[in-house]
């Protein structure tokens, strides 16, 4: 085995992390282990570790083994090796030390000071290792991690050359070290028992005037004596204490027990997609006058249920979920993003008018889960699985454990509606499904299951594969995927390698941002038609495939059915969905309210039938200062169920100049949008896409820098494949490994910055045909 070869590699300079002891040595400490790693990788597809170079590369986490090109059809697979040193003060001796990995792809082995301390299979869920006995206290310690992301028949899914998405690699999520007293709140992954470990938090709504929050704390005593302790709970809202409780208990030596407490909440502020109210729960473990541990968790008080008509009730009221599927794929870095980047994705999804996300087809990051709670996105949470089943018992056991671990990680999130412990688009034995459903109930009694077979509590039906698109439902019914495959392949089955009878390119929903106005309008029409049709069914939710363009391991092109590009730039379809949201909604977290958008580039080949998306009652369209018409929304077969159908204006012909749309609710002007006929490229405009989320001030962050080619009027000139160059100074790195080119007039660079990126300077330049010197634009932050 290649793992036996790892320690034959010569040790080179290893950076050391010096950690200061806490002023209260017994108080729990959480240390980020994201910095000061050293890294090497094997040649691609190697199954034994043979380093590419003798020198180690200094890296920080999240990390990917390879910066991939925009089109990833030969993703790096092989053996990745990470190592670091840390100093363990003598004051830690007698404490319990847990090392927790949030995401490591895919087969992981861990050594500390030359001793094997842990092994884990599966790349999407966390695992914890008790390293207390292997630490050298009062000295430096060497940590080494080996990762194998080659195809694995136990974890699945398909081999990468057949897979419809990429799995990437590396230590791509956080690693933390926890130092705790012998008496402590246990780790849910180490406990590995149903409905146990850590904190289990639930809520119950009695009526509008009263609710309760139940806290189940799993306490472990690894000391040699019986421990007396006090467990305190405090629930806060907007910084004010709402409810508190404190109770004293005893726990025998070398034992573990669950202690339950309840808090009463008067006049509760409920969690809902339109108003995601969250309480702050502070859990404290005291021994005498010493605070051993404090845990802080956000709590949403809410209730999901279904009525006899299979409508979803949120806190007793029917609510239809307009939704989307998401792959967490990022250009160049794959999964190795940042908490802030994942939060920005959630903001973009919410601003697009969605209230629901299906996490396809694997567990997404804890940061995205947190963001969903905070901005109001209802989630279907999924284990890894796609078109692959193995009859080997080890495969089933791994799926079962993944289901357990998924619920243990995410059970306290208000946003989770149901658990997709299911292998998507994969025939599964009935006994296998029954076992998964039983695991869900054991881990979280009363929780709902979801899957693409009708044995589950919620039926996830993929209409785009034309499989039982509509029949009288006998259970809650969710149109889990629509709008892509059904407008692409007429055979529309599950075997995407067949690709028989493909639709003409201009008719599909797979359109890149730079595909041109006609094709982007066709994508929007496809989505409008399908979404409107979904609303004729008794489905309680639908989810378009997909939010962002993404890479597929087996394909020679990007999967381009996203309503935003892989660089998170909106297509016309983005505004179609945005127009379906209620204009009366308000939020301090994201942009919302009345909107209007002209879906046209308004140039010589533009259609004179101008489509406008708006959630207003009426829209006026003006051309060069002259009123064309004031219209109500379209009324037709493909619009009858939409909350806000588009507005189509029929102009006699194209006339260069400015189109202006004015949106009205009642007689009040609520929103405007303008487009101008683009002229010659005159300047560059550069911007940093933070989506309102501040740059990470304590670690790395990845963001998009967008450069627009604009004319003298500031109109983006929608040209493709124009090369834009970038120069940087300071703590910033451009991650694009290829030439950076425009798509519809925008060139996007993915950059990594550290610790708030103070003093960073970025300069973009473009050699325009009509200027003697290159056009430039600069960004400082």
């Amino acid at each position: 085995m290649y793992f036996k070869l790892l320690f034959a590699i010569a040790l080179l300079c290893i950076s050391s992390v010096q950690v200061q002891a806490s002023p209260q040595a017994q108080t729990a400490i959480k240390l980020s282990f994201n910095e000061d790693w050293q890294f090497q990788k094997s040649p691609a597809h190697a199954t034994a570790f043979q380093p590419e170079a003798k020198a180690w590369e200094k890296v920080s986490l999240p990390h990917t083994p390879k910066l991939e090109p925009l089109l990833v059809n030969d993703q790096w697979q092989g053996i990745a090796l990470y190592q670091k040193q840390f100093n363990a003060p003598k004051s830690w001796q007698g404490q319990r030390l847990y090392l927790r990995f949030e995401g490591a792809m895919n087969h992981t082995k861990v050594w500390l000071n030359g001793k094997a301390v842990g092994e884990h299979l599966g790349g999407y869920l966390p695992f914890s290792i008790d390293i207390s006995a292997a630490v050298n206290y009062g000295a430096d310690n060497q940590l080494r991690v080996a990762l194998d992301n080659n195809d694995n028949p136990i974890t699945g899914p398909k081999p990468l050359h057949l897979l419809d998405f990429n799995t990437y690699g590396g230590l791509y999520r956080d690693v933390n070290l926890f130092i705790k007293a012998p008496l402590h709140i246990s780790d849910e992954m180490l406990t590995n028992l149903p409905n146990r470990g850590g904190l289990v938090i639930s809520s119950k709504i009695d009526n509008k005037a009263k609710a309760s929050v139940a806290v189940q704390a799993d306490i472990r005593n690894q000391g040699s004596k019986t421990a007396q302790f006090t467990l305190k709970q405090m629930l806060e809202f907007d910084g004010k204490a709402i409810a508190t409780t404190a109770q004293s208990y005893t726990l025998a030596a070398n034992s573990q027990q669950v202690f339950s407490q309840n808090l009463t909440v008067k006049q509760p502020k409920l969690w809902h997609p339109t108003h995601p109210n969250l309480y702050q729960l502070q859990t404290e473990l005291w021994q005498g006058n010493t605070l051993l541990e404090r845990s802080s968790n956000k709590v949403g008080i809410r209730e999901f249920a279904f009525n006899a008509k299979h409508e979803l009730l949120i806190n007793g009221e029917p609510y239809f979920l307009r939704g989307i599927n998401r792959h967490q794929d990022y250009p160049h870095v794959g999964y190795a993003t940042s908490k802030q980047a994942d939060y920005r994705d959630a903001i973009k999804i919410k601003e697009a008018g969605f209230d629901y996300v299906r996490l396809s087809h694997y567990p997404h990051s804890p940061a995205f889960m947190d963001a969903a709670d905070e901005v109001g996105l209802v989630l279907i949470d999924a284990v890894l699985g796609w078109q692959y089943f193995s009859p080997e018992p080890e495969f089933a056991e791994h799926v079962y454990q993944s289901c357990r671990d998924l619920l243990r990680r995410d059970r306290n999130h208000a946003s989770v509606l149901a658990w997709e412990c299911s292998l998507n688009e994969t025939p599964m034995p009935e006994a296998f499904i029954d076992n998964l459903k039983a695991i869900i109930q054991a881990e979280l009694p009363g929780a709902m299951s979801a899957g693409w077979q009708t044995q589950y509590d919620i039926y996830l039906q993929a209409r785009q594969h034309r499989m039982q698109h509509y029949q009288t439902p006998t259970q809650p019914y969710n149109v889990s995927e629509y709008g892509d495959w059904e407008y692409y392949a007429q055979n529309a089955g599950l075997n995407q390698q067949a690709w028989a009878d493909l639709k003409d390119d201009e008719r599909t929903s797979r359109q890149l941002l730079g595909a041109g106005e006609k094709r982007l309008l066709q994508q929007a029409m496809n989505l409008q038609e399908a979404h409107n049709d979904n609303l004729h069914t008794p489905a309680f939710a639908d989810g378009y495939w997909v939010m962002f363009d993404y890479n597929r391991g087996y394909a020679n092109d990007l999967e381009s059915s996203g309503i935003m590009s892989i660089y998170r730039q909106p297509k016309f379809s983005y505004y179609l969905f945005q127009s379906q949201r209620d204009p009366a909604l308000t939020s301090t977290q994201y942009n919302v309210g009345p909107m209007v958008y002209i879906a046209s580039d308004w140039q010589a080949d533009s259609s004179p039938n101008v489509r406008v998306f708006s959630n207003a009652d009426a829209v006026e369209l003006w051309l060069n200062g002259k009123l064309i018409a004031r219209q109500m929304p379209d009324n037709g077969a493909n619009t009858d169920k939409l909350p806000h159908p588009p507005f189509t204006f029929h102009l006699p012909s194209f006339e260069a100049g400015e189109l202006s749309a004015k949106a009205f609710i009642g007689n009040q002007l609520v929103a405007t949008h303008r487009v101008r006929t683009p002229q010659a490229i005159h300047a560059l405009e550069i911007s940093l896409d933070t989506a309102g989320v501040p740059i990470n001030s304590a670690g790395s962050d990845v963001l998009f820098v967008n450069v627009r080619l604009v004319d003298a009027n500031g109109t983006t000139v929608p040209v493709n494949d124009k090369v834009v160059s970038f120069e940087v100074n300071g703590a910033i790195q451009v991650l694009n490994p290829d030439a950076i080119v425009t798509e519809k007039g925008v060139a996007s660079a993915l950059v990594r910055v550290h610790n708030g990126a103070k003093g960073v300077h970025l300069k973009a330049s473009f050699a325009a045909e009509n200027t003697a010197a290159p056009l430039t634009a600069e960004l400082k932050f």
Side-chain angles (χ1 to χ4, degrees), residues 592-605:
V592 72
M595 60 79 63
V596 63
Y597 182 84
I598 303 168
S600 173
D601 296 329
W602 201 237
Q603 47 191 358
D605 60 352

Side-chain angles (χ1 to χ4, degrees), residues 639-655:
T639 63
D640 63 312
K641 289 291 185 179
L642 296 180
H644 303 285
F647 299 75
T648 304
F649 294 86
H650 302 282
L651 280 66
S653 61
F654 170 78
E655 177 185 322

Side-chain angles (χ1 to χ4, degrees), residues 431-454:
F432 179 76
I433 297 175
D434 287 342
N435 288 340
L436 287 167
K437 291 177 64 180
I439 287 170
I440 293 171
Q441 288 307 306
E443 291 292 337
L444 197 61
M448 289 182 283
S449 65
W452 80 294
Q453 291 180 220
T454 55

Side-chain angles (χ1 to χ4, degrees), residues 23 40 48 77 136 232 310 353 409 447 470 504 512 534 575 589 612 618 626 690 736:
Q40 287 195 52
Q77 289 181 287
N136 291 328
K232 297 181 179 180
H310 310 306
R409 189 192 74 165
Y470 176 73
D504 295 337
L512 291 166
N534 293 338
Y575 299 100
Q589 299 167 288
V612 178
K626 298 179 181 178
T690 66
N736 306 49

Side-chain angles (χ1 to χ4, degrees), residues 34 37 39 60-65 80 82 101-108 120 122-127 145 147 149 166-175 328-329 333-339 342 362-367 384 409 700 702 752:
N34 285 351
W37 287 88
F39 167 75
S60 60
L61 309 184
H63 182 259
T64 186
Y82 295 82
F101 296 78
E102 293 296 336
M105 190 67 69
N106 173 48
H107 183 187
T108 308
H120 184 260
Y124 289 94
L125 288 163
F127 61 95
V145 182
L147 305 177
N149 74 333
N166 288 71
T167 55
Y168 300 103
L171 288 176
Y172 70 95
R173 290 181 185 158
D174 290 350
V175 177
Q328 63 182 12
D329 182 293
V333 296
Y335 293 164
T337 57
S338 64
K339 293 182 177 68
D342 284 323
Y362 43 76
H364 289 219
S365 73
L384 174 64
R409 189 192 74 165
S700 69
V702 291
R752 178 181 288 128

Side-chain angles (χ1 to χ4, degrees), residues 571-607:
K571 305 176 188 178
F572 289 159
S573 297
Y574 175 93
Y575 299 100
L576 164 70
F577 283 113
Q578 189 179 74
S579 70
Q580 301 311 299
R581 70 189 185 195
D582 186 345
L585 290 178
T586 60
S587 177
T588 59
Q589 299 167 288
Y590 55 90
N591 294 320
V592 72
M595 60 79 63
V596 63
Y597 182 84
I598 303 168
S600 173
D601 296 329
W602 201 237
Q603 47 191 358
D605 60 352
S606 294
S607 171

Side-chain angles (χ1 to χ4, degrees), residues 507-558:
R507 296 173 57 197
T508 81
S509 302
R510 298 188 178 186
Q511 303 294 349
L512 291 166
L513 180 65
E517 178 184 307
K518 181 179 179 180
R519 290 190 176 189
L520 293 180
L521 285 170
Q522 182 66 50
Q523 183 196 51
M525 180 57 73
N526 292 352
L527 276 52
Q528 173 187 321
E529 177 185 79
H531 178 55
N532 186 76
D533 186 58
N534 293 338
L535 298 178
H536 282 265
T537 77
F540 71 88
D542 70 352
Y544 173 63
W545 188 268
V546 60
M547 182 67 195
F548 307 111
D549 292 350
Y550 62 96
N551 271 290
R552 303 174 291 166
Y554 73 101
N556 289 317
D557 59 354
L558 287 177

